[in-house]
Amino acid sequence: MCGICGCNQTLIAGHAARPSGKAVRFRLHKQAPETADAVRLVRIERDILALNNDHAAANRRALAERGIFALNLVSSPGSGKTTLLVKTITALNGALPLAVIEGDQQTENDAVRIRAAGAPALQINTGRGCHLDAKMVGQALEQMKLQDDSLLLIENVGNLVCPASFDLGEAHKVVILSVTEGEDKPLKYPDMFRAASLMLLNKCDLLPYVEFDADLAISYARRINPALQVMRISATSGAGMQAWLDWIKEGSSQAASA
Amino acid sequence: MHEMSLAEGVLKIMEESASAERFRRVRRVVLEIGKLSAVEPEAMRFCFEAVMQGSIAEGAALDIVETEGQGWCAQCACHVPLAALYDACPHCGNFPLGVTAGDAMRVIELEVE
Ligand SMILES: Nc1nc2c(ncn2[C@@H]2O[C@H](COP(=O)(O)OP(=O)(O)OP(=O)(O)O)[C@@H](O)[C@H]2O)c(=O)[nH]1
Ligand SMILES: [Mg+2]
Ligand SMILES: [Zn+2]
Ligand SMILES: [Zn+2]
Ligand SMILES: [Zn+2]
């Protein structure tokens, strides 16, 4: 029986070599009935994210050529990404040239906060999209006139799910988890904690007031990603920020000298 | 829902293939979705239908082949089944386990005309 439409005609099955070199399997009805078009199978075997990954690779090459150290900041909504960026810009105080890409579904608010802190910021509104993708970032890079050997901070849309899958071409993903979320977040959203190089445990100033077992949260995250670096910080009080600033400076000077 | 943009990724791959392989319509799409990947098959079905409207794959059938998760336990030096990224080795209780299979999301094959 024909495997395509279930009719009783015998099939001619075979392999044809295409000019591309890719083998294409095809199957035809022996006496093609009413349809004139041949039905055939085309082998694809490509990652669903292949096109995003191509754009990300192009971004990564462009950034590397210019010694730019790019970080992709990811978290649930409200864990403190913009507050952290503002504090980081203030603390670096011009020691490192930097620029920010802000991703939100709507509004220019976060870019306005960054500009008020003294850094150039480009806002990308994703509309119904729930994450930044590599093509959006590639277009932003063309508009932004970044300095060589500078720092590029990308604040992704607040969402712990799909930003994990969409590579932007960054050097590292930095995941921010705040102590007002549950300590089992790393288990509930494992992809993000697996994709990140560094976890910032933020809002640690609130630890005395909330039930949050920081050691447990960290052990959950390392269960998924044993190489994950962790820093405990408070973006509002500034506690623990020095380790984060040192980490940025170290990565940035490596990117610049590579 | 990120399955929406993943379905858009599937469409772009098919459109690229349509010009390379010279076909006009896609009648069936076979996707491999690993059980450890970030894709929910039911959500993908829903988004697939919506995204394919008006495209070369409007009305195309969607076959999803789900692959089982597998990890590597360095302590036992063996492959073990993995239902979630945070699971421990069923033999020795060790984690983390390196994922060796079941995290892919791929377009495998198209039936075209
Ligand atoms: N107590 C305390 N509050 C903080 C800290 N960091 C941020 N916040 C507060 O958390 C709220 C959200 O902070 P944002 O910086 O806007 O968070 P975000 O991650 O950028 O949010 P989205 O862009 O909407 O995803 C604000 O009210 C901040 O003042 C912190 O370290 N401690
Ligand atoms: Mg923000
Ligand atoms: Zn038939
Ligand atoms: Zn998304
Ligand atoms: Zn084991």
Side-chain angles (χ1 to χ4, degrees):
Chain A
M1 193 179 76
C2 162
I4 294 168
C5 67
C7 75
N8 284 322
Q9 301 190 38
T10 32
L11 291 176
I12 311 162
H15 295 263
R18 292 256 134 192
S20 65
K22 271 186 253 161
V24 177
R25 286 201 279 139
F26 65 89
R27 288 191 225 157
L28 298 170
H29 293 281
K30 204 172 194 175
Q31 301 119 6
E34 52 287 318
T35 53
D37 285 332
V39 173
R40 60 192 165 108
L41 295 177
V42 178
R43 209 62 196 166
I44 304 284
E45 309 242 14
R46 283 189 86 190
D47 194 299
I48 291 178
L49 292 164
L51 295 164
N52 184 72
N53 292 343
D54 291 349
H55 283 290
N59 292 349
R60 190 164 279 119
R61 264 196 310 279
L63 291 165
E65 269 167 24
R66 305 184 45 202
I68 298 169
F69 185 53
L71 299 175
N72 179 1
L73 278 78
V74 291
S75 79
S76 329
S79 66
K81 298 179 293 299
T82 311
T83 308
L84 173 75
L85 289 179
V86 166
K87 287 298 166 96
T88 303
I89 293 161
T90 314
L92 286 173
N93 192 24
L96 201 58
L98 67 86
V100 175
I101 294 176
E102 278 291 341
D104 287 289
Q105 291 195 311
Q106 306 285 343
T107 85
E108 182 96 2
N109 294 353
D110 282 0
V112 169
R113 285 166 68 190
I114 298 297
R115 287 180 203 125
L122 186 134
Q123 179 79 49
I124 299 175
N125 285 134
T126 57
R128 75 184 168 85
C130 44
H131 57 270
L132 291 175
D133 67 37
K135 191 175 175 186
M136 298 171 187
V137 170
Q139 287 165 345
L141 292 178
E142 280 172 19
Q143 290 175 40
M144 283 179 84
K145 316 238 179 312
L146 299 174
Q147 271 180 256
D148 286 355
D149 302 337
S150 64
L151 171 67
L152 175 64
L153 299 163
I154 305 169
E155 178 178 338
N156 217 313
V157 179
N159 170 359
L160 271 180
V161 185
C162 40
S165 311
F166 286 82
D167 184 7
L168 304 179
E170 71 277 348
H172 300 286
K173 286 189 181 67
V174 176
V175 63
I176 294 129
L177 176 66
S178 64
V179 304
T180 51
E181 306 169 54
E183 56 268 274
D184 58 354
K185 270 275 162 76
L187 300 186
K188 290 177 173 162
Y189 302 94
D191 297 288
M192 189 58 91
F193 292 85
R194 188 180 171 212
S197 314
L198 171 65
M199 174 168 101
L200 297 176
L201 193 60
N202 190 32
K203 308 196 186 180
C204 280
D205 57 294
L206 298 179
L207 276 173
Y209 314 105
V210 293
E211 262 183 57
F212 182 92
D213 184 338
D215 293 330
L216 186 61
I218 293 168
S219 79
Y220 284 154
R222 290 224 169 104
R223 203 188 274 198
I224 288 140
N225 182 354
L228 187 69
Q229 272 185 272
V230 179
M231 294 171 190
R232 302 178 192 219
I233 64 163
S234 164
T236 46
S237 81
M241 286 285 286
Q242 194 55 49
W244 156 244
L245 297 172
D246 291 344
W247 186 86
I248 291 180
K249 285 180 190 160
E250 168 68 21
S252 186
S253 71
Q254 274 182 20
S257 62
Chain B
M1 197 187 308
H2 70 292
E3 278 81 1
M4 199 59 101
S5 28
L6 296 176
E8 281 161 7
V10 172
L11 177 58
K12 283 184 194 141
I13 287 173
M14 294 194 293
E15 285 170 346
E16 277 199 351
S17 177
S19 51
E21 301 283 351
R22 297 173 190 284
F23 56 82
R24 288 179 297 112
R25 274 185 47 73
V26 178
R27 301 184 12 158
R28 179 183 302 277
V29 181
V30 183
L31 300 184
E32 173 192 348
I33 303 290
K35 289 191 175 169
L36 298 177
S37 78
V39 180
E40 192 55 57
E42 274 323 300
M44 179 52 101
R45 284 186 188 287
F46 177 81
C47 295
F48 182 86
E49 207 183 311
V51 167
M52 298 312 151
Q53 301 249 341
S55 79
I56 56 166
E58 177 158 357
L62 175 62
D63 288 351
I64 295 181
V65 181
E66 282 191 83
T67 48
E68 297 295 329
Q70 191 194 56
W72 171 257
C73 177
Q75 208 153 290
C76 303
C78 68
H79 289 284
V80 297
L82 205 56
L85 285 173
Y86 50 78
D87 273 357
C89 171
H91 307 302
C92 70
N94 170 48
F95 45 64
L97 303 173
V99 177
T100 50
D103 58 349
M105 33 187 187
R106 297 191 303 154
V107 183
I108 299 295
E109 188 171 65
L110 307 178
E111 186 182 300
V112 304
E113 62 185 14

